[in-house]
Amino acid sequence: GENVEQHPSTLSVQEGDSAVIKCTYSDSASNYFPWYKQELGKGPQLIIDIRSNVGEKKDQRIAVTLNKTAKHFSLHITETQPEDSAVYFCAGETGRRALTFGSGTRLQVQP
Amino acid sequence: EAEVAQSPRYKITEKSQAVAFWCDPISGHATLYWYRQILGQGPELLVQFQDESVVDDSQLPKDRFSAERLKGVDSTLKIQPAELGDSAMYLCASSLRGPRNSPLHFGNGTRLTVT
Protein backbone atom coordinates (compact mmCIF):
# COMPACT_ATOMS: atom_id res chain seq x y z
CA GLY A 1 0.00 0.00 0.00
CA GLU A 2 0.84 3.69 -0.11
CA ASN A 3 3.33 5.17 2.38
CA VAL A 4 3.55 8.95 2.79
CA GLU A 5 6.41 10.57 4.69
CA GLN A 6 6.28 14.21 5.73
CA HIS A 7 8.84 16.63 7.07
CA PRO A 8 9.63 18.68 9.01
CA SER A 9 7.54 17.65 12.00
CA THR A 10 7.66 21.19 13.38
CA LEU A 11 8.29 24.50 11.65
CA SER A 12 8.54 27.95 13.16
CA VAL A 13 8.62 31.06 10.96
CA GLN A 14 8.30 34.78 11.44
CA GLU A 15 5.13 36.45 10.25
CA GLY A 16 5.52 37.43 6.61
CA ASP A 17 8.08 34.74 5.85
CA SER A 18 7.43 31.70 3.66
CA ALA A 19 6.93 28.15 4.88
CA VAL A 20 7.60 24.96 2.94
CA ILE A 21 6.47 21.46 3.90
CA LYS A 22 7.61 18.42 1.94
CA CYS A 23 6.18 14.94 1.44
CA THR A 24 7.31 11.83 -0.38
CA TYR A 25 5.16 8.90 -1.45
CA SER A 26 5.95 5.32 -2.29
CA ASP A 27 3.29 4.17 -4.77
CA SER A 28 4.00 5.40 -8.29
CA ALA A 29 0.33 4.73 -9.13
CA SER A 30 -0.82 7.45 -6.70
CA ASN A 31 -2.54 10.22 -8.61
CA TYR A 32 -4.17 12.60 -6.14
CA PHE A 33 -2.41 14.62 -3.42
CA PRO A 34 -4.41 16.86 -1.09
CA TRP A 35 -3.21 19.00 1.80
CA TYR A 36 -5.22 19.43 4.98
CA LYS A 37 -5.02 21.97 7.79
CA GLN A 38 -6.05 20.91 11.27
CA GLU A 39 -6.68 23.45 14.00
CA LEU A 40 -6.81 22.52 17.65
CA GLY A 41 -9.92 20.54 18.53
CA LYS A 42 -11.16 20.35 14.95
CA GLY A 43 -11.10 17.87 12.10
CA PRO A 44 -8.74 18.34 9.14
CA GLN A 45 -9.90 20.76 6.46
CA LEU A 46 -8.86 20.60 2.82
CA ILE A 47 -6.85 23.64 1.76
CA ILE A 48 -5.49 22.64 -1.67
CA ASP A 49 -5.02 19.55 -3.79
CA ILE A 50 -3.17 18.50 -6.92
CA ARG A 51 -3.60 15.69 -9.42
CA SER A 52 -0.82 13.76 -11.09
CA ASN A 53 -1.32 15.41 -14.49
CA VAL A 54 -0.47 18.83 -13.04
CA GLY A 55 2.93 20.06 -11.82
CA GLU A 56 1.87 23.08 -9.81
CA LYS A 57 -1.27 24.68 -8.45
CA LYS A 58 -1.79 28.01 -6.69
CA ASP A 59 -4.55 29.48 -4.58
CA GLN A 60 -3.72 32.95 -3.29
CA ARG A 61 -0.90 32.52 -0.73
CA ILE A 62 -0.84 28.74 -0.98
CA ALA A 63 0.80 26.65 -3.70
CA VAL A 64 1.53 22.96 -4.16
CA THR A 65 4.15 21.45 -6.47
CA LEU A 66 4.40 17.84 -7.60
CA ASN A 67 7.42 15.96 -8.94
CA LYS A 68 6.16 12.60 -10.18
CA THR A 69 9.60 11.35 -11.16
CA ALA A 70 11.00 11.89 -7.69
CA LYS A 71 7.65 11.02 -6.04
CA HIS A 72 7.51 14.08 -3.87
CA PHE A 73 5.22 17.05 -3.44
CA SER A 74 5.44 20.23 -1.42
CA LEU A 75 3.21 22.86 0.17
CA HIS A 76 4.33 26.48 -0.04
CA ILE A 77 2.75 29.20 2.07
CA THR A 78 3.86 32.76 1.35
CA GLU A 79 3.42 35.86 3.48
CA THR A 80 2.55 33.73 6.51
CA GLN A 81 0.11 35.10 9.07
CA PRO A 82 -0.54 34.06 12.69
CA GLU A 83 -3.80 32.40 11.62
CA ASP A 84 -1.76 30.02 9.46
CA SER A 85 -0.53 28.39 12.69
CA ALA A 86 -1.91 24.83 12.72
CA VAL A 87 -0.96 21.25 11.91
CA TYR A 88 -0.71 20.50 8.20
CA PHE A 89 -1.09 17.02 6.70
CA CYS A 90 -0.24 15.83 3.23
CA ALA A 91 -1.95 12.75 1.79
CA GLY A 92 -1.86 10.48 -1.21
CA GLU A 93 -4.50 8.38 -2.92
CA THR A 94 -4.30 5.42 -5.26
CA GLY A 95 -7.29 4.22 -7.24
CA ARG A 96 -10.36 3.54 -5.11
CA ARG A 97 -8.44 3.37 -1.89
CA ALA A 98 -8.89 6.00 0.77
CA LEU A 99 -6.29 8.66 1.51
CA THR A 100 -3.04 7.78 3.27
CA PHE A 101 -1.88 10.67 5.43
CA GLY A 102 1.56 11.88 6.41
CA SER A 103 2.50 12.33 10.06
CA GLY A 104 1.86 16.08 10.10
CA THR A 105 3.80 19.33 10.42
CA ARG A 106 3.09 21.73 13.25
CA LEU A 107 3.52 25.22 11.83
CA GLN A 108 3.93 28.12 14.21
CA VAL A 109 3.92 31.64 12.83
CA GLN A 110 5.55 34.08 15.24
CA PRO A 111 4.01 37.57 15.18
CA GLU B 1 -22.07 25.08 4.67
CA ALA B 2 -23.09 21.47 5.37
CA GLU B 3 -20.98 19.65 7.93
CA VAL B 4 -20.22 16.12 9.03
CA ALA B 5 -21.76 15.62 12.47
CA GLN B 6 -20.16 13.40 15.08
CA SER B 7 -21.17 12.51 18.60
CA PRO B 8 -20.24 12.38 21.35
CA ARG B 9 -17.55 15.04 21.26
CA TYR B 10 -15.66 13.44 24.16
CA LYS B 11 -15.92 9.99 25.73
CA ILE B 12 -14.16 8.59 28.78
CA THR B 13 -14.54 4.90 29.41
CA GLU B 14 -12.86 2.21 31.45
CA LYS B 15 -10.96 -0.57 29.75
CA SER B 16 -13.05 -3.64 28.91
CA GLN B 17 -16.17 -1.50 28.51
CA ALA B 18 -18.05 -1.03 25.25
CA VAL B 19 -18.15 2.33 23.49
CA ALA B 20 -19.89 3.59 20.36
CA PHE B 21 -19.46 6.61 18.13
CA TRP B 22 -21.97 8.05 15.69
CA CYS B 23 -21.48 9.92 12.44
CA ASP B 24 -23.93 11.71 10.15
CA PRO B 25 -22.26 12.58 6.83
CA ILE B 26 -23.11 15.46 4.54
CA SER B 27 -26.41 14.75 2.80
CA GLY B 28 -25.93 12.96 -0.50
CA HIS B 29 -22.38 11.83 0.19
CA ALA B 30 -22.04 8.21 -0.87
CA THR B 31 -18.62 7.53 0.63
CA LEU B 32 -18.02 7.50 4.37
CA TYR B 33 -14.77 6.91 6.21
CA TRP B 34 -13.75 6.30 9.80
CA TYR B 35 -10.20 7.35 10.66
CA ARG B 36 -8.30 7.04 13.94
CA GLN B 37 -5.84 9.77 14.87
CA ILE B 38 -3.40 9.14 17.69
CA LEU B 39 -2.08 12.31 19.30
CA GLY B 40 0.77 13.77 17.25
CA GLN B 41 0.15 11.54 14.24
CA GLY B 42 -1.79 11.63 11.00
CA PRO B 43 -5.22 10.03 10.58
CA GLU B 44 -5.19 6.29 9.78
CA LEU B 45 -8.06 4.65 7.94
CA LEU B 46 -10.13 2.14 9.85
CA VAL B 47 -12.99 1.53 7.43
CA GLN B 48 -14.41 2.92 4.19
CA PHE B 49 -18.03 2.59 3.08
CA GLN B 50 -19.53 3.10 -0.36
CA ASP B 51 -23.23 3.58 0.34
CA GLU B 52 -23.99 0.73 2.78
CA SER B 53 -21.18 -1.57 1.61
CA VAL B 54 -17.74 -1.87 3.15
CA VAL B 55 -15.05 -1.06 0.57
CA ASP B 56 -12.01 -1.40 2.80
CA ASP B 57 -11.78 -2.62 6.39
CA SER B 58 -8.32 -4.15 6.14
CA GLN B 59 -6.99 -1.96 8.99
CA LEU B 60 -9.98 -2.45 11.29
CA PRO B 61 -9.15 -4.64 14.34
CA LYS B 62 -12.14 -6.88 13.80
CA ASP B 63 -11.78 -8.77 17.07
CA ARG B 64 -12.92 -5.66 18.93
CA PHE B 65 -14.05 -3.04 16.39
CA SER B 66 -17.18 -3.08 14.26
CA ALA B 67 -18.73 -0.52 11.94
CA GLU B 68 -22.02 -0.32 10.16
CA ARG B 69 -23.87 1.99 7.80
CA LEU B 70 -27.17 0.17 7.52
CA LYS B 71 -29.14 2.53 5.29
CA GLY B 72 -26.19 4.09 3.56
CA VAL B 73 -26.56 7.32 5.50
CA ASP B 74 -25.33 7.60 9.09
CA SER B 75 -22.79 5.24 10.59
CA THR B 76 -21.80 3.78 13.95
CA LEU B 77 -18.35 2.62 15.03
CA LYS B 78 -18.20 0.35 18.07
CA ILE B 79 -15.36 -0.89 20.24
CA GLN B 80 -15.89 -3.82 22.58
CA PRO B 81 -13.96 -4.28 24.77
CA ALA B 82 -12.02 -1.01 24.85
CA GLU B 83 -8.29 -1.18 25.60
CA LEU B 84 -5.92 1.51 26.86
CA GLY B 85 -4.30 1.72 23.42
CA ASP B 86 -7.60 2.74 21.85
CA SER B 87 -7.30 6.23 23.34
CA ALA B 88 -7.31 8.51 20.29
CA MET B 89 -9.42 10.88 18.20
CA TYR B 90 -11.92 9.06 15.99
CA LEU B 91 -12.68 11.06 12.87
CA CYS B 92 -15.50 10.53 10.42
CA ALA B 93 -15.29 11.91 6.90
CA SER B 94 -17.51 11.82 3.85
CA SER B 95 -17.19 12.58 0.17
CA LEU B 96 -19.64 12.82 -2.70
CA ARG B 97 -17.83 10.00 -4.50
CA GLY B 98 -14.32 8.63 -3.97
CA PRO B 99 -11.51 10.87 -2.71
CA ARG B 100 -9.99 11.31 -6.17
CA ASN B 101 -13.19 12.78 -7.54
CA SER B 102 -14.43 14.80 -4.61
CA PRO B 103 -12.75 16.09 -1.46
CA LEU B 104 -13.10 14.55 1.98
CA HIS B 105 -15.03 16.55 4.53
CA PHE B 106 -14.14 15.71 8.12
CA GLY B 107 -16.19 16.04 11.26
CA ASN B 108 -14.63 17.41 14.44
CA GLY B 109 -14.15 13.94 15.84
CA THR B 110 -14.79 12.05 19.06
CA ARG B 111 -11.91 12.09 21.51
CA LEU B 112 -11.82 8.78 23.36
CA THR B 113 -9.94 8.30 26.61
CA VAL B 114 -9.71 4.77 27.99
CA THR B 115 -8.74 4.54 31.67
Side-chain angles (χ1 to χ4, degrees), chain B residues 5 9 25-26 29 37 54 62 64 70 73 82 84 87 92-93 99 103 107 110:
Chain B
R9 191 78 175 86
I26 294 172
H29 279 198
Q37 185 177 26
V54 173
K62 298 181 188 65
R64 298 185 301 108
L70 291 177
V73 181
L84 294 177
S87 295
C92 178
T110 295

mmCIF file of all heavy atoms in Angstrom, chain B residues 5 9 25-26 29 37 54 62 64 70 73 82 84 87 92-93 99 103 107 110:
data_model
loop_
_atom_site.group_PDB
_atom_site.id
_atom_site.type_symbol
_atom_site.label_atom_id
_atom_site.label_comp_id
_atom_site.label_asym_id
_atom_site.label_seq_id
_atom_site.Cartn_x
_atom_site.Cartn_y
_atom_site.Cartn_z
ATOM 1 N N ALA B 5 -21.462 15.568 11.036
ATOM 2 C CA ALA B 5 -21.763 15.625 12.466
ATOM 3 C C ALA B 5 -21.271 14.356 13.151
ATOM 4 O O ALA B 5 -21.473 13.249 12.644
ATOM 5 C CB ALA B 5 -23.266 15.774 12.681
ATOM 6 N N ARG B 9 -18.753 14.268 21.512
ATOM 7 C CA ARG B 9 -17.546 15.040 21.264
ATOM 8 C C ARG B 9 -16.384 14.460 22.070
ATOM 9 O O ARG B 9 -15.258 14.408 21.578
ATOM 10 C CB ARG B 9 -17.800 16.488 21.657
ATOM 11 C CG ARG B 9 -16.724 17.439 21.218
ATOM 12 C CD ARG B 9 -16.871 17.751 19.731
ATOM 13 N NE ARG B 9 -15.896 18.772 19.361
ATOM 14 C CZ ARG B 9 -14.626 18.496 19.012
ATOM 15 N NH1 ARG B 9 -14.208 17.253 18.987
ATOM 16 N NH2 ARG B 9 -13.802 19.464 18.693
ATOM 17 N N PRO B 25 -23.017 11.903 7.883
ATOM 18 C CA PRO B 25 -22.259 12.576 6.829
ATOM 19 C C PRO B 25 -23.068 13.698 6.183
ATOM 20 O O PRO B 25 -24.261 13.875 6.472
ATOM 21 C CB PRO B 25 -22.000 11.451 5.831
ATOM 22 C CG PRO B 25 -23.201 10.554 5.987
ATOM 23 C CD PRO B 25 -23.523 10.598 7.450
ATOM 24 N N ILE B 26 -22.425 14.422 5.310
ATOM 25 C CA ILE B 26 -23.109 15.456 4.540
ATOM 26 C C ILE B 26 -24.141 14.767 3.638
ATOM 27 O O ILE B 26 -23.849 13.725 3.030
ATOM 28 C CB ILE B 26 -22.103 16.277 3.721
ATOM 29 C CG1 ILE B 26 -21.200 17.075 4.678
ATOM 30 C CG2 ILE B 26 -22.806 17.200 2.739
ATOM 31 C CD1 ILE B 26 -20.053 17.782 4.003
ATOM 32 N N HIS B 29 -23.720 12.386 0.326
ATOM 33 C CA HIS B 29 -22.375 11.835 0.195
ATOM 34 C C HIS B 29 -22.431 10.310 0.277
ATOM 35 O O HIS B 29 -22.842 9.743 1.276
ATOM 36 C CB HIS B 29 -21.457 12.400 1.268
ATOM 37 C CG HIS B 29 -20.936 13.754 0.941
ATOM 38 N ND1 HIS B 29 -19.829 14.313 1.568
ATOM 39 C CD2 HIS B 29 -21.353 14.667 0.037
ATOM 40 C CE1 HIS B 29 -19.601 15.505 1.061
ATOM 41 N NE2 HIS B 29 -20.516 15.755 0.137
ATOM 42 N N GLN B 37 -6.994 8.879 14.800
ATOM 43 C CA GLN B 37 -5.844 9.766 14.870
ATOM 44 C C GLN B 37 -5.265 9.746 16.279
ATOM 45 O O GLN B 37 -5.879 10.277 17.211
ATOM 46 C CB GLN B 37 -6.220 11.198 14.468
ATOM 47 C CG GLN B 37 -5.024 12.129 14.400
ATOM 48 C CD GLN B 37 -5.392 13.531 13.921
ATOM 49 O OE1 GLN B 37 -6.512 13.990 14.071
ATOM 50 N NE2 GLN B 37 -4.434 14.220 13.323
ATOM 51 N N VAL B 54 -19.116 -2.101 2.726
ATOM 52 C CA VAL B 54 -17.735 -1.873 3.147
ATOM 53 C C VAL B 54 -16.811 -2.039 1.944
ATOM 54 O O VAL B 54 -16.828 -3.074 1.277
ATOM 55 C CB VAL B 54 -17.332 -2.868 4.258
ATOM 56 C CG1 VAL B 54 -15.846 -2.738 4.570
ATOM 57 C CG2 VAL B 54 -18.156 -2.628 5.506
ATOM 58 N N LYS B 62 -10.790 -6.320 13.812
ATOM 59 C CA LYS B 62 -12.143 -6.879 13.801
ATOM 60 C C LYS B 62 -12.478 -7.700 15.042
ATOM 61 O O LYS B 62 -13.652 -8.029 15.260
ATOM 62 C CB LYS B 62 -12.341 -7.712 12.544
ATOM 63 C CG LYS B 62 -12.213 -6.902 11.245
ATOM 64 C CD LYS B 62 -12.447 -7.770 10.040
ATOM 65 C CE LYS B 62 -12.133 -6.996 8.770
ATOM 66 N NZ LYS B 62 -10.706 -6.625 8.666
ATOM 67 N N ARG B 64 -12.317 -6.549 17.938
ATOM 68 C CA ARG B 64 -12.920 -5.660 18.927
ATOM 69 C C ARG B 64 -13.675 -4.489 18.301
ATOM 70 O O ARG B 64 -14.488 -3.853 18.971
ATOM 71 C CB ARG B 64 -11.845 -5.115 19.863
ATOM 72 C CG ARG B 64 -11.125 -6.164 20.677
ATOM 73 C CD ARG B 64 -10.162 -5.542 21.677
ATOM 74 N NE ARG B 64 -9.151 -4.714 21.022
ATOM 75 C CZ ARG B 64 -9.128 -3.390 21.070
ATOM 76 N NH1 ARG B 64 -10.060 -2.723 21.737
ATOM 77 N NH2 ARG B 64 -8.163 -2.721 20.471
ATOM 78 N N LEU B 70 -26.073 1.042 7.938
ATOM 79 C CA LEU B 70 -27.168 0.173 7.516
ATOM 80 C C LEU B 70 -27.969 0.726 6.345
ATOM 81 O O LEU B 70 -28.286 0.018 5.418
ATOM 82 C CB LEU B 70 -28.076 -0.114 8.701
ATOM 83 C CG LEU B 70 -27.438 -0.997 9.795
ATOM 84 C CD1 LEU B 70 -28.387 -1.159 10.976
ATOM 85 C CD2 LEU B 70 -27.049 -2.354 9.227
ATOM 86 N N VAL B 73 -26.567 5.912 5.117
ATOM 87 C CA VAL B 73 -26.557 7.322 5.498
ATOM 88 C C VAL B 73 -25.627 7.470 6.700
ATOM 89 O O VAL B 73 -24.415 7.561 6.527
ATOM 90 C CB VAL B 73 -27.972 7.836 5.802
ATOM 91 C CG1 VAL B 73 -27.947 9.307 6.176
ATOM 92 C CG2 VAL B 73 -28.872 7.624 4.597
ATOM 93 N N ALA B 82 -13.015 -2.059 25.055
ATOM 94 C CA ALA B 82 -12.022 -1.010 24.855
ATOM 95 C C ALA B 82 -10.733 -1.359 25.588
ATOM 96 O O ALA B 82 -10.753 -1.963 26.672
ATOM 97 C CB ALA B 82 -12.567 0.331 25.354
ATOM 98 N N LEU B 84 -6.610 0.250 26.608
ATOM 99 C CA LEU B 84 -5.924 1.514 26.862
ATOM 100 C C LEU B 84 -5.379 2.125 25.570
ATOM 101 O O LEU B 84 -5.424 3.333 25.356
ATOM 102 C CB LEU B 84 -4.795 1.315 27.868
ATOM 103 C CG LEU B 84 -5.208 0.916 29.285
ATOM 104 C CD1 LEU B 84 -3.974 0.679 30.150
ATOM 105 C CD2 LEU B 84 -6.105 1.973 29.918
ATOM 106 N N SER B 87 -7.173 4.793 23.088
ATOM 107 C CA SER B 87 -7.298 6.228 23.336
ATOM 108 C C SER B 87 -6.779 6.993 22.125
ATOM 109 O O SER B 87 -5.623 6.842 21.721
ATOM 110 C CB SER B 87 -6.507 6.626 24.585
ATOM 111 O OG SER B 87 -7.053 6.033 25.744
ATOM 112 N N CYS B 92 -14.645 10.982 11.514
ATOM 113 C CA CYS B 92 -15.497 10.526 10.424
ATOM 114 C C CYS B 92 -15.363 11.535 9.281
ATOM 115 O O CYS B 92 -15.243 12.743 9.519
ATOM 116 C CB CYS B 92 -16.950 10.441 10.886
ATOM 117 S SG CYS B 92 -18.101 9.928 9.598
ATOM 118 N N ALA B 93 -15.358 11.038 8.067
ATOM 119 C CA ALA B 93 -15.293 11.907 6.902
ATOM 120 C C ALA B 93 -16.243 11.380 5.840
ATOM 121 O O ALA B 93 -16.577 10.185 5.820
ATOM 122 C CB ALA B 93 -13.868 11.969 6.348
ATOM 123 N N PRO B 99 -12.347 9.714 -3.039
ATOM 124 C CA PRO B 99 -11.506 10.872 -2.713
ATOM 125 C C PRO B 99 -10.867 11.503 -3.933
ATOM 126 O O PRO B 99 -10.582 12.698 -3.930
ATOM 127 C CB PRO B 99 -10.453 10.296 -1.764
ATOM 128 C CG PRO B 99 -10.449 8.824 -2.019
ATOM 129 C CD PRO B 99 -11.850 8.482 -2.426
ATOM 130 N N PRO B 103 -13.559 15.994 -2.684
ATOM 131 C CA PRO B 103 -12.753 16.090 -1.461
ATOM 132 C C PRO B 103 -13.427 15.444 -0.256
ATOM 133 O O PRO B 103 -14.641 15.302 -0.214
ATOM 134 C CB PRO B 103 -12.612 17.601 -1.268
ATOM 135 C CG PRO B 103 -13.767 18.192 -1.984
ATOM 136 C CD PRO B 103 -14.059 17.294 -3.143
ATOM 137 N N GLY B 107 -15.542 15.520 10.066
ATOM 138 C CA GLY B 107 -16.188 16.044 11.259
ATOM 139 C C GLY B 107 -15.127 16.463 12.266
ATOM 140 O O GLY B 107 -13.919 16.320 12.007
ATOM 141 N N THR B 110 -14.485 12.457 17.679
ATOM 142 C CA THR B 110 -14.789 12.055 19.057
ATOM 143 C C THR B 110 -13.461 11.708 19.712
ATOM 144 O O THR B 110 -12.740 10.832 19.227
ATOM 145 C CB THR B 110 -15.703 10.820 19.106
ATOM 146 O OG1 THR B 110 -16.970 11.149 18.552
ATOM 147 C CG2 THR B 110 -15.879 10.344 20.548
#
